[in-house]
Amino acid sequence: MGAIGVRLRAELRSSWRSWLALALLIGIFGGVVLGVAAGARRTATAFPHLVDKSNGSDGLVGAFKNGANDYYRTVGRDPRVLDFGLIGGMPVYPVGPDGQPGSFNGNALAPVDGKIGSTIDRPLVLAGRLPKPDAPREVFVNEISGRMRHLHVGSPIKVVAASLGDEGRDAPTDVEPFTLTVVGIGRFNSEIVPTTKFDITELLLMTPAGYRTYAKNRPLNFDGIFVRLRPGADANAFRHAAKALAQTRSEEVGGDILYADYADRNARVERTIQPQAAALALFAAFAGLSGFLVIGQALSRQLSDDATEVPILRTIGLTRAQLVRLALLRTGLVAGVAAVIAVVVAVVMSPLFPIGAARRAYVHPGVDVNVAVLAAGAVVIVALFLARAAVPAWRLASTPAGVEGTASGGNERTSATAGWLSGVLPASAATGVRMALEPGRGRTAVPVRTTLAGAIVALAAVATTATFAVNLNRLVSTPRLYGRGWDVLFDASFGPLPRDTVDPVLRRSHVVESYSGGFYGEASVEGKPVTAVGIHGPVRPVIVSGRAAARADEVVLGSVTLRRTHRSVGDRVAVDLGDGATQMRVVGRAVFPAMGRGSFPQTGLGEGLMVTDRVLEPRDESLQGLSFFNFFLIKLQPGTTSAQERALVRALTPLCPPQQDCQVRTTRDHDLAERPAEIANLERIRWTPVVLAGVLAALAIATVAHTLLTSIRRRRRDLAMLKTIGFQRGQVSAAVAWQATTFATVALIGLPLGLALGRVLWRALANQMGIVPDVATPALALVLAVPVTIVLANVIAVVPGWLAGRVRPAVALRAE
């Protein structure tokens, strides 16, 4: 490399400490940004990785009659099916202190053919192991059961076999209670982000031997087949084929089936997790930009300091191109070491990620080395800082030949604003404004413009995250924003709630303002599956545009459903409600809370279909002549007390028909089942924007503090001159305070910019998720941010101002 190599080695021997310090600064900050970026990627991919590793199923087919095993095996031979597993809902229940079946808000399942929980839908084992297929008394429980029943590996569970049919669970049984042993505790795919009612209930996974032993001569609670479809298989075509087959076997199946599209559920879970990953990526972008601006100052100063010998090097024959290559090699060496440090820091940070619900996809997240992301990040770090050094390197290399120390670094740039204020403000104030807006030149130059840009970006980021945080907290705590337009839900799920018993109670109640009844159903829109509800009455999910359906050929859809089908309000869509596709007009767009049955898909935010009640009214012959609904939506009078609400719940609870599992839920319920998965997941990270805002605010503070200290060090001669011409110590300190105040005042430009960006981003998220697109502005917080920012800047200036006031003119000028 010749002369450049010799010079580079000489500089390395003399300046390696300052180079290493700069590399550490870049590396640590770059590592944080890279670690968060890798964490965003890990958060986004955690659930898909779990589904792939567990051989997750793509769908569940359930018949309306139990014992349809021949039908299920025929379904499993469909050419679109890659693999399948049969399940049986075991008539097994934990017993209470009296030896009879007690409260059990869950299900006991058994893999009839041994596949579920083993080769299909393997759970994430948190403790212990999976049960042995030939061990009838071994059981694997989900995390919810373990927590509710205080179970651990080796715990006994006393249960009894009881029929849900004629005996009922509370009746005496003809089988003595027996004991199951917990051999493992785990988490199933459906529990990562619950999307159905059964996803938040207890689950006991028994064995094929347990099925043969305890389900013998007893009707199952339910049965079904989990299927894994071949890559590229049409799930909707498979569902139609399974329904068509069921209609030819009405005696065995019951004439119809329920189909749960788990591939669609998994996609919904991924969409639920995406806002968390996006928040991390946005933070990485903001922090990276702010850090690049701040650390770029340090790099420029390093280049300027190392350029003091440029005139001599030009004199002895080095060309401008050689000096530029020398500066870039020096920068590349520093950036290369920094990139290595950044990768190490990012790897050390990796156990902090993923965040939110995605973290539940791991037993212990542990260290993660994403080679692709880390390698790309390292290359970006080197490339960015080489690009950042190119212009100042070229400018400094243009210094004419001469003696050491004459490198100027360019002409001094003055500020028209500072010049105008000089005739208005006191001398100390005018001086401080000039120090904040004019960078100076040569060795005394201070990168004030970069500081201002970094502070503006940081404050804009703080305002953006604050706006996001306010709206996020408002969303998770305001049911109306996620579609819940009622106060009480009386729900019988699959069963009927007779109107002749429920209507009189609701009409007589003084606390009920209005109510509606409705039915659950399954549908597809343009071939894409969606959960449907049919509503009769004024209380319904929140409609954000258009109106409710009034005729049989009208439909209201969620935002996501509309987007997936490329339709809008006013268009016609092909809707299949089980009797074949018909054309219906979209008359409204609604936000749906979580509504649905059992383990089958629910509505949620922008996903759902709403029609009139007559369209979804069941045609079951056993219910002919009975006027009923599956659920009632009840809106209470304003000012209703919690005691009055509890009284209504007590009045409704006995109206549930015998042998049915009904629920009465209110907005005051701690674990609100109608809260969509997306909202429950966002609630887990509701403080994340606040933390990110705090980090970005700290970055802004560090930027201003660093520039003030640098300004004192570099402008010692200027400060000495001020003292020489008559400035007192207090006036010098005041000048520094005015410099900080000017920084803060200019940086406040970032607040309205951040507010505008925050509103745009929240509206984009609202449209993406399908929530009510109301945007709240944190006006009070932003108003308070103005004086707080200025006061904080002056607090930061206390130490630099004190140091500036202590500058001794004689010593400073002699050193110059």
Side-chain angles (χ1 to χ4, degrees):
M1 194 175 288
I4 295 177
V6 171
R7 178 60 188 174
L8 185 63
R9 287 194 295 270
E11 289 184 353
L12 181 60
R13 283 194 299 270
S14 62
S15 305
W16 69 270
R17 290 180 179 83
S18 61
W19 291 11
L20 179 60
L22 183 58
L24 283 171
L25 178 64
I26 297 173
I28 292 173
F29 196 90
V32 172
V33 173
L34 186 55
V36 174
R41 174 68 178 169
R42 194 178 187 188
T43 299
T45 59
F47 182 72
H49 177 71
L50 175 65
V51 172
D52 183 64
K53 190 171 78 169
S54 66
N55 280 340
S57 58
D58 294 304
L60 166 65
V61 177
F64 277 83
K65 285 188 178 181
N66 293 329
N69 288 337
D70 184 61
Y71 163 76
Y72 290 139
R73 289 188 172 90
T74 304
V75 169
R77 289 194 291 271
D78 187 292
R80 288 170 284 250
V81 175
L82 177 66
D83 197 4
F84 68 90
L86 303 178
I87 60 157
M90 298 289 288
V92 171
Y93 307 94
V95 300
D98 58 356
Q100 296 299 320
S103 174
F104 182 49
N105 183 26
N107 288 289
L109 302 179
V112 176
D113 53 7
K115 290 184 178 180
I116 300 302
S118 177
T119 60
I120 300 176
D121 286 329
R122 288 193 300 270
L124 192 65
V125 179
L126 304 178
R129 58 172 174 82
L130 292 171
K132 297 176 181 177
D134 58 351
R137 295 201 175 190
E138 289 188 352
V139 65
F140 185 90
V141 303
N142 69 344
E143 192 177 21
I144 297 172
S145 289
R147 184 173 60 250
M148 292 182 63
R149 298 185 181 274
H150 308 289
L151 301 174
H152 53 81
V153 175
S155 292
I157 304 179
K158 195 173 184 180
V159 298
V160 68
S163 172
L164 275 176
D166 295 334
E167 288 180 288
R169 276 191 278 173
D170 296 326
T173 65
D174 56 4
V175 177
E176 288 295 322
F178 55 94
T179 301
L180 300 174
T181 300
V182 176
V183 297
I185 301 174
R187 191 179 294 147
F188 292 82
N189 292 355
S190 59
E191 298 176 88
I192 303 301
V193 177
T195 59
T196 73
K197 295 173 183 176
F198 280 1
D199 295 343
I200 53 175
T201 59
E202 296 183 69
L203 178 61
L204 311 182
L205 180 65
M206 298 181 67
T207 65
Y211 172 78
R212 293 190 296 269
T213 302
Y214 302 115
K216 186 177 181 180
N217 300 324
R218 288 185 176 277
L220 297 173
N221 294 342
F222 55 87
D223 54 26
I225 177 175
F226 285 90
V227 296
R228 294 185 64 222
L229 301 180
R230 297 183 185 278
D234 188 336
N236 197 47
F238 168 74
R239 178 172 68 93
H240 278 293
K243 281 182 173 287
L245 178 63
Q247 291 170 357
T248 66
R249 300 192 179 188
S250 58
E251 289 297 323
E252 178 189 2
V253 179
D256 201 0
I257 61 165
L258 289 172
Y259 180 71
D261 190 334
Y262 288 164
D264 186 69
R265 176 202 68 186
N266 293 343
R268 179 178 173 187
V269 171
E270 291 182 47
R271 290 194 297 271
T272 300
I273 292 173
Q274 283 308 310
Q276 301 170 22
L280 290 175
L282 187 63
F283 169 76
F286 270 129
L289 177 59
S290 300
F292 178 67
L293 292 172
V294 174
I295 298 175
Q297 301 174 12
L299 181 63
S300 295
R301 285 194 300 273
Q302 184 70 47
L303 287 172
S304 179
D305 291 343
D306 291 340
T308 55
E309 296 182 0
V310 167
I312 296 176
L313 296 175
R314 290 294 303 275
T315 300
I316 63 177
L318 266 68
T319 65
R320 175 188 292 182
Q322 287 177 311
L323 290 171
V324 170
R325 287 200 298 272
L326 176 63
L328 293 181
L329 282 171
R330 183 193 307 129
T331 301
L333 181 62
V334 171
V337 174
V340 173
I341 295 171
V343 169
V344 173
V345 171
V347 171
V348 171
M349 287 179 60
S350 62
L352 299 175
F353 304 100
I355 64 170
R359 195 173 183 85
R360 291 171 52 78
Y362 293 87
V363 179
H364 301 292
V367 174
D368 178 63
V369 182
N370 191 320
V371 176
V373 173
L374 296 179
V379 170
V380 168
I381 288 173
V382 174
L384 282 177
F385 282 97
L386 281 174
R388 177 66 176 82
V391 173
W394 178 262
R395 187 176 67 246
L396 292 170
S398 303
T399 303
V403 298
E404 181 181 359
T406 60
S408 66
N411 297 322
E412 183 174 4
R413 290 164 291 181
T414 60
S415 168
T417 302
W420 177 75
L421 290 175
S422 295
V424 179
L425 298 176
S428 58
T431 301
V433 172
R434 283 192 177 276
M435 291 169 64
L437 300 180
E438 295 180 356
R441 65 188 182 92
R443 292 166 56 191
T444 63
V446 177
V448 294
R449 289 176 173 82
T450 308
T451 297
L452 290 172
I456 290 171
V457 169
L459 272 186
V462 170
T464 299
T465 51
T467 303
F468 215 85
V470 166
N471 283 280
L472 177 59
N473 281 306
R474 181 168 171 258
L475 171 63
V476 300
S477 59
T478 309
R480 186 189 67 83
L481 294 179
Y482 53 80
R484 196 176 196 267
W486 53 89
D487 301 301
V488 179
L489 171 68
F490 188 19
D491 187 12
S493 193
F494 294 95
L497 288 172
R499 294 185 61 180
D500 59 359
T501 60
V502 179
D503 277 340
V505 172
L506 296 179
R507 283 198 300 267
R508 289 196 303 265
S509 175
H510 298 296
V511 300
V512 174
E513 179 181 294
S514 56
Y515 67 92
S516 297
F519 299 105
Y520 291 118
E522 304 298 324
S524 67
V525 179
E526 297 293 336
K528 295 176 174 58
V530 61
T531 300
V533 291
I535 306 290
H536 173 78
V539 184
R540 57 177 63 91
V542 175
I543 296 177
V544 293
S545 66
R547 59 174 175 81
R551 301 179 358 173
D553 64 343
E554 295 179 342
V555 64
V556 175
L557 299 176
S559 300
V560 176
T561 304
L562 283 170
R563 186 165 58 247
R564 289 170 60 194
T565 55
H566 308 290
R567 297 293 191 275
S568 58
V569 175
D571 292 342
R572 300 190 73 85
V573 294
V575 179
D576 185 352
L577 295 167
D579 299 326
T582 59
Q583 290 293 317
M584 302 181 74
R585 182 175 297 280
V586 181
V587 296
R589 178 169 62 91
V591 179
F592 292 89
M595 303 176 69
R597 298 177 290 189
S599 61
F600 293 88
Q602 300 183 122
T603 61
L605 293 186
E607 298 179 272
L609 178 152
M610 182 165 54
V611 290
T612 63
D613 60 309
R614 292 302 180 95
V615 176
L616 284 183
E617 188 171 11
R619 297 171 178 81
D620 192 331
E621 294 181 1
S622 64
L623 298 173
Q624 291 297 320
L626 177 64
S627 179
F628 70 95
F629 289 121
N630 291 139
F631 58 83
F632 283 85
L633 310 176
I634 306 163
K635 187 173 181 61
L636 302 180
Q637 296 281 0
T640 300
T641 65
S642 57
Q644 291 173 320
E645 191 175 85
R646 287 194 298 269
L648 178 63
V649 171
R650 288 194 298 270
L652 292 174
T653 302
L655 304 182
C656 180
Q659 301 175 7
Q660 281 190 203
D661 186 15
C662 300
Q663 294 181 322
V664 185
R665 292 191 297 270
T666 74
T667 53
R668 292 185 172 92
D669 291 338
H670 177 68
D671 185 16
L672 187 61
E674 294 113 297
R675 179 171 292 173
E678 297 90 338
I679 301 301
N681 197 28
L682 287 174
E683 187 171 28
R684 295 189 182 100
I685 62 161
R686 64 192 304 176
W687 293 109
T688 301
V690 177
V691 174
L692 299 184
V695 173
L696 292 167
L699 178 62
I701 292 171
T703 300
V704 174
H706 185 268
T707 301
L708 290 176
L709 290 171
T710 301
S711 177
I712 302 305
R713 182 170 61 85
R714 290 197 161 211
R715 289 172 167 167
R716 286 173 59 84
R717 184 186 63 182
D718 297 335
L719 296 174
M721 291 297 296
L722 290 174
K723 280 197 162 186
T724 301
I725 62 175
F727 265 53
Q728 301 298 316
R729 176 183 295 185
Q731 289 178 296
V732 174
S733 298
V736 175
W738 273 99
Q739 181 184 12
T741 301
T742 305
F743 280 148
T745 302
V746 176
L748 288 173
I749 296 172
L751 291 180
L753 296 177
L755 172 61
L757 179 59
R759 292 178 63 87
V760 169
L761 290 176
W762 184 258
R763 283 192 179 277
L765 178 65
N767 292 329
Q768 179 69 26
M769 295 179 65
I771 59 179
V772 176
D774 288 348
V775 185
T777 300
L780 179 61
L782 293 178
V783 169
L784 290 176
V786 174
V788 168
T789 301
I790 294 174
V791 169
L792 188 58
N794 280 272
V795 170
I796 296 169
V798 169
V799 173
W802 179 76
L803 293 174
R806 288 176 57 83
V807 171
R808 297 181 180 180
V811 175
L813 293 175
R814 184 169 61 248
E816 292 293 330

